Amino acid sequence: MAAGGGMTQVQKRILLVALVPLFMSLLSVSIINVVLPAIERDLGASTSALQWVLTGYALSFGVVLVAAGRAGDVFGRAQLFIAGVSLFGISSLVSGLAPDPITLNIARVVMGLGSGLLNPQVVGLLQQYFEGPRRGRAFGLMGTIVGLSVAIGPVLGGVLIAIFGNAFGWRAAFLVNVPFAILAVIFAIVWLPKSAWGPAVDQTDPIDEAVPPAQRRHRHDLDPVGVILLGLGVLLVLLPFVESSVGWFVWFALPLGLVVIWAWTKWERRYESRGRTPMVELDLFAIKSFSNGSIIIALYFMGVTSVWVIVAMFMQQGLGHTALASGLIGLPAALLSALSADISGRYVFQAGRRLVVWGIVTCLFGLLSSVLVVALLAQGIGSEWWLLLTLSFVGIAQGMVISPNQTLTLNEVPLKYAGSAGGVLQTGQRIGTSMGLAILTAVAFAVVAVSDWDLGLIVAFLAIAVVVIIAGIVGIAEVRRTRRPQL
């Protein structure tokens, strides 16, 4: 590592290789809502088929995250990264050329798998090749990429539809991924260090050298039973939240999924007691910074992800604006999120988890001031475009919370578990997002059914504020814990 605050040439190349495909995978999440109506008209897709364009990606993405992170730890992050990018690029091509809804939905599921493979490798690579302030800076840049993808996705989708029309505009939204995927694979092969092609070894852990070779081979397995149990458990937990329209019976999957996850924890303990390396080292959750940080971010995603969906519905269904206009209202927030993440990454280790707590306070201010704007609008005072300002505080908060929390949450995790720990962290985000979207949009629709979209947004935003406050309480507890002298 180079001295000082600057990054080495190798580190800069790793960032470029890792963050560009990450940007494209997240862009595919934010762009899809805008192009769904065009898909419906061009392919004659049913409502259920359109639902699967969204949920197929989300389910496959969430299910493979932890297994992919573990595989990267064991076999090498470069291989898994290239496999994920390749899968994402090929399925993007198939999606863009899809002749019917079935082909599109299958391709979207494969796209989700590709995203699920590559995302934990990005976290693992940043954890492996960056230390101290540079790690905070790297995760800050990752947060910048997340913010930009959120900002550009809806706007780009609207622009592509406007330029190419319904028939080709939605296809261009997928095809744009292909050249970036090809370049990412080429540069990954050329630029990723040799150490990224082999198992992650924690140089500070004497166990890696002390374990006899025969037992060390046992450490390099994928724990296939654990992979299946956790994947099935996460799938069952996610299913009712992303497929709630199927019927009331789908909710039986939730308790069944929790039972499967409980069985997975028992299996992991048993697997470890036999001298094998489990899929996830459950002792990770004994690391307070990891467990508390995981709770904070899961709760934060449960609340704040729904903000942009509810605002889009308020703008389009409540006020009759176009999809492009509804995308533009979140643009300043997303751009400020990117800037905030970059700045926060520079100071995360100086400020610690206090930075995250102040981000949560900033988010609450943005939510409550947005409620005030809509309440005034309902009385004929002001304009909905005042939300450009109030939602900007939510955007600033995103940059102060997400990347700094991720940096601090993973800071004490041993390197050899960085991929699986990142997978656990991102799985919590996916579950939180799915739960929040299902519950909080249902709250908004329930209020709209008996009132209007003004009250619907107000009640939904107040519910989001409650979830964010709970995340803040956990954050304050973590700040107080780190202030206590360690015995």
Side-chain angles (χ1 to χ4, degrees):
M1 299 290 178
M7 294 184 184
T8 67
Q9 188 68 22
V10 171
Q11 288 174 326
K12 291 177 182 178
R13 288 177 172 179
I14 289 170
L15 279 175
L16 181 62
V17 168
L19 295 186
V20 170
L22 177 70
F23 173 77
M24 302 310 297
S25 73
L26 296 175
L27 187 75
S28 293
V29 176
S30 62
I31 200 173
I32 191 67
N33 289 314
V34 177
V35 302
L36 276 179
I39 294 173
E40 180 181 22
R41 285 189 289 269
D42 188 47
L43 295 183
S46 64
T47 302
S48 60
L50 289 175
Q51 178 72 6
W52 261 98
V53 174
L54 292 171
T55 60
Y57 186 90
L59 286 172
S60 58
F61 187 2
V63 164
V64 301
L65 280 168
V66 181
R70 172 64 182 153
D73 291 339
V74 170
F75 298 116
R77 297 186 177 114
Q79 293 95 314
L80 271 293
F81 177 82
I82 290 172
V85 174
S86 300
L87 209 56
F88 180 80
I90 293 169
S91 53
S92 294
L93 178 63
V94 175
S95 296
L97 301 177
D100 52 58
I102 293 177
T103 304
L104 177 59
N105 282 324
I106 293 172
R108 282 287 288 174
V109 169
V110 178
M111 277 183 74
L113 292 174
S115 290
L117 283 175
L118 75 89
N119 270 263
Q121 315 316 323
V122 173
V123 175
L125 286 168
L126 299 192
Q127 191 81 345
Q128 182 172 353
Y129 291 104
F130 296 83
E131 296 176 355
R134 292 190 192 88
R135 184 179 292 171
R137 178 88 169 109
F139 277 116
L141 288 171
M142 181 177 169
T144 300
I145 290 296
V146 173
L148 288 175
S149 68
V150 172
I152 293 173
V155 178
L156 178 61
V159 168
L160 291 174
I161 296 294
I163 293 175
F164 298 110
N166 290 326
F168 187 71
W170 70 267
R171 296 180 184 275
F174 294 114
L175 295 174
V176 70
N177 295 326
V178 177
F180 289 100
I182 293 171
L183 290 173
V185 169
I186 293 171
F187 285 121
I189 293 171
V190 175
W191 280 351
L192 287 181
K194 289 183 179 179
S195 53
W197 297 82
V201 176
D202 191 344
Q203 299 298 335
T204 65
D205 187 355
I207 294 175
D208 284 313
E209 295 302 323
V211 174
Q215 292 184 30
R216 209 176 299 165
R217 283 196 296 272
H218 283 180
R219 291 161 60 85
H220 293 168
D221 62 56
L222 266 180
D223 181 12
V225 174
V227 168
I228 293 170
L229 284 175
L230 183 60
L232 179 60
V234 171
L235 175 64
L236 290 170
V237 169
L238 285 173
L239 191 63
F241 293 104
V242 299
E243 286 289 335
S244 56
S245 59
V246 170
W248 59 269
F249 56 86
V250 77
W251 288 99
F252 284 115
L254 179 57
L256 181 58
L258 295 175
V259 170
V260 172
I261 291 175
W262 173 81
W264 167 74
T265 64
K266 294 297 182 182
W267 167 262
E268 294 294 90
R269 290 296 188 195
R270 180 186 174 193
Y271 198 71
E272 185 177 22
S273 70
R274 290 161 51 191
R276 308 293 290 268
T277 303
M279 177 188 180
V280 174
E281 177 60 65
L282 295 181
D283 288 343
L284 283 174
F285 295 99
I287 303 173
K288 287 295 184 181
S289 59
F290 179 78
S291 56
N292 287 340
S294 298
I295 293 170
I296 290 169
I297 206 61
L299 288 168
Y300 190 83
F301 269 75
M302 183 185 296
V304 177
T305 305
S306 301
V307 167
W308 310 109
V309 177
I310 291 168
V311 167
M313 292 190 295
F314 171 74
M315 291 290 287
Q316 293 180 69
Q317 298 180 21
L319 301 179
H321 287 292
T322 64
L324 183 58
S326 68
L328 287 171
I329 202 164
L331 184 59
L335 293 175
L336 285 170
S337 169
L339 179 62
S340 172
D342 186 35
I343 295 172
S344 297
R346 300 170 188 263
Y347 301 104
V348 59
F349 287 107
Q350 293 95 315
R353 201 80 65 166
R354 288 175 300 165
L355 178 62
V356 175
V357 172
W358 278 111
I360 290 173
V361 171
T362 304
C363 179
L364 284 172
F365 178 79
L367 290 170
L368 297 179
S369 58
S370 297
V371 165
L372 179 60
V373 167
V374 176
L376 291 173
L377 186 63
Q379 303 300 316
I381 303 172
S383 164
E384 64 269 31
W385 296 105
W386 288 2
L387 290 170
L388 286 166
L389 175 61
T390 59
L391 290 174
S392 291
F393 288 98
V394 179
I396 293 169
Q398 296 270 96
M400 296 174 68
V401 172
I402 297 175
S403 292
N405 185 76
Q406 181 157 276
T407 304
L408 296 167
T409 300
L410 296 174
N411 191 46
E412 297 178 25
V413 172
L415 175 60
K416 61 181 179 290
Y417 298 123
S420 54
V424 170
L425 197 62
Q426 291 179 321
T427 300
Q429 294 173 10
R430 299 280 71 74
I431 292 175
T433 296
S434 299
M435 291 176 66
L437 287 173
I439 295 169
L440 296 168
T441 55
V443 167
F445 279 125
V447 174
V448 170
V450 297
S451 181
D452 56 25
W453 264 106
D454 292 334
L455 187 60
L457 182 142
I458 289 171
V459 173
F461 268 38
L462 292 175
I464 291 169
V466 171
V467 177
V468 172
I469 287 170
I470 297 171
I473 291 171
V474 180
I476 291 170
E478 176 65 8
V479 169
R480 295 182 65 182
R481 183 190 70 82
T482 54
R483 282 180 176 174
R484 291 196 295 267
Q486 301 298 311
L487 299 179

